[in-house]
Amino acid sequence: MRETQHRDAPRLETARLILRAHVVDDFEDVAAMWGDPEVVRHITGTPADREASWARLLRYIGHWNALGFGYWAVERKEDGRYLGSVGFADYQRSLEPAIEAVPEAGWGFVTDAQGQGFGIEAVQRMHDWASCETNWSATVCIMAPDHDASRRLAEKVGYRPHGQTTYKGDPTFVMWRDVNR
């Protein structure tokens, strides 16, 4: 999974969105999003404080520098509004079965951007990038078993059930996607 080429997040576009590198100026948007109880309901269950949001933003930025892949900030083309983040990570999660050899895909969107097709548009674009720009054979995503919207999005871009496990004491659904070449 490790990429040897260090790089900045490439700018990607879709019909309605720009996927770009996170910058420090995104902090207030990141903090607002991850502090929203509705956004985190199926993820951690607990809104993030500013310190945790700052650490998340630095992880987003650092993944690209350290590993050559990471998360993109998603903004709406028409007005530049921050809608969320999508990308791939290596979180070194302790899971059985292990997922450490496979990049983990993830996504999150501000509450009022959900249900408008932005998720599928951004997540499909990041997977198109992975198919063209990496040598990965597969990616994985994890979620709460009752996170139906996230599961549907994952299925739309080709993820299939891969089992269930426990992460930090919570039931966790694992999905797997072979990278199309």
Side-chain angles (χ1 to χ4, degrees):
M1 172 174 54
R2 302 271 183 234
E3 297 292 315
T4 58
Q5 177 185 2
H6 300 290
R7 58 181 150 193
D8 293 326
R11 180 184 169 99
L12 307 177
E13 294 192 25
T14 71
R16 300 181 297 164
L17 304 172
I18 295 170
L19 282 65
R20 59 161 176 79
H22 280 88
V23 295
V24 170
D25 286 345
D26 291 324
F27 176 60
E28 293 301 331
D29 291 322
V30 169
M33 183 177 112
W34 291 104
D36 180 346
E38 188 59 30
V39 169
V40 300
R41 181 167 51 112
H42 295 292
I43 301 171
T44 63
T46 304
D49 61 17
R50 291 178 65 80
E51 180 181 351
S53 294
W54 179 250
R56 179 181 292 273
L57 178 61
L58 295 179
R59 255 193 334 263
Y60 288 161
I61 295 168
H63 254 85
W64 284 100
N65 187 323
L67 302 177
F69 63 92
Y71 271 68
W72 288 269
V74 178
E75 65 180 42
R76 191 168 42 204
K77 275 186 180 178
E78 76 179 43
D79 59 8
R81 180 168 178 243
Y82 184 91
L83 299 179
S85 59
V86 300
F88 302 99
D90 177 0
Y91 291 124
Q92 296 290 311
R93 295 189 199 273
S94 295
L95 291 175
E96 289 296 328
I99 63 169
E100 60 201 30
V102 181
E104 180 182 335
W107 46 85
F109 290 86
V110 298
T111 302
D112 66 350
Q114 296 174 15
Q116 299 179 48
F118 294 126
I120 186 65
E121 197 171 322
V123 172
Q124 183 61 58
R125 182 65 184 97
M126 76 183 210
H127 282 88
D128 291 345
W129 171 85
S131 292
C132 294
E133 300 295 329
T134 73
N135 60 0
W136 303 336
S137 60
T139 57
V140 66
C141 64
I142 66 171
M143 64 198 69
D146 62 346
H147 197 341
D148 296 332
S150 196
R151 185 186 299 208
R152 283 190 306 272
L153 191 156
E155 289 171 345
K156 287 178 183 177
V157 296
Y159 283 91
R160 298 293 169 250
H162 191 68
Q164 203 161 320
T165 189
T166 302
Y167 179 63
K168 294 189 176 181
D170 294 322
T172 301
F173 190 63
V174 180
M175 298 184 79
W176 190 273
R177 179 183 187 273
D178 291 324
V179 174
N180 299 323
R181 297 259 172 242

